[in-house]
Amino acid sequence: MLTDISRAWLDSALRDAADRTPVWEERFVTAGRHCGPADADEARTLLLRAAGAEPDTLTRLYHHGTTAERRAVLLALPALVTGPESVPLVEDALRTHDTTLIAAALGPYAATHLPPHAWRHGLLKCLFTGVPVSAVAGLAERAAGDPELARMLADHAAERTAAGRPVPADLSRVLALTVPAEES
């Protein structure tokens, strides 16, 4: 919950963003200092939405941003980008080992636009890094009746078992989602 001081700063920043003044990008960068880390994601995504940031701006902010700024860009994608042009940002985040970026990358934008192969690997990355699959938007819909995902999950479980490592608890939940409707 934003404090009164944070709310006043954010209201001013949102006016700048709505007016599309260059100041809004500076406020995007400094949001963590003004609103605190707990509210920075919300403040930054609100700024991006108020500015109507376009894919080129989002890409620039993502590539030049800190992890927190990148996460905010990923979280704002569903509200700002209607097509697949920002998929490379999601794919980049999925190549990291930062669990906050991985979780943000597999939000609603990825559920709609990420190709099946990349989405499956993103889901496996969640299992491998310990990101709860509850963070994956559209999980049930994307996993439903997906035999390739079922094979990948079974292979992952077999590799973990053979290495004497625990199988992630979420794996069986996701595997159950891959069963075709007529078999469940």
Side-chain angles (χ1 to χ4, degrees), residues 3-167:
T3 66
D4 289 340
I5 294 170
S6 295
R7 176 49 66 187
W9 177 88
L10 182 58
D11 288 343
S12 172
L14 288 171
R15 281 191 300 278
D16 290 340
D19 293 340
R20 292 180 161 247
T21 62
V23 175
W24 81 264
E25 287 189 33
E26 183 179 312
R27 292 185 182 240
F28 174 83
V29 172
T30 62
R33 287 191 296 254
H34 292 282
C35 297
D39 295 320
D41 281 346
E42 179 182 2
R44 285 186 176 111
T45 56
L46 286 170
L47 283 169
L48 290 169
R49 292 173 70 181
E54 296 180 357
D56 288 345
T57 299
L58 294 169
T59 298
R60 183 174 40 77
L61 291 172
Y62 178 89
H63 286 299
H64 295 286
T66 64
T67 298
E69 293 161 16
R70 288 175 174 211
R71 185 174 54 248
V73 168
L74 293 167
L75 293 171
L77 288 178
L80 295 169
V81 184
T82 58
E85 55 270 24
S86 292
V87 165
L89 301 181
V90 173
E91 292 171 335
D92 181 77
L94 291 174
R95 285 190 294 272
T96 72
H97 293 287
D98 186 302
T99 57
T100 65
L101 285 179
I102 294 166
L106 288 171
Y109 183 81
T112 303
H113 298 289
L114 200 60
H117 181 76
W119 184 85
R120 289 181 194 114
H121 282 277
L123 180 60
L124 280 173
K125 184 116 184 204
C126 285
L127 293 169
F128 187 76
T129 60
V131 172
V133 296
S134 60
V136 179
L139 174 64
E141 295 82 9
R142 293 286 307 250
D146 186 339
E148 178 61 13
L149 179 59
R151 183 197 62 74
M152 292 169 74
L153 292 168
D155 289 351
H156 182 62
E159 288 172 12
R160 302 282 300 177
T161 302
R165 295 188 179 128
V167 174

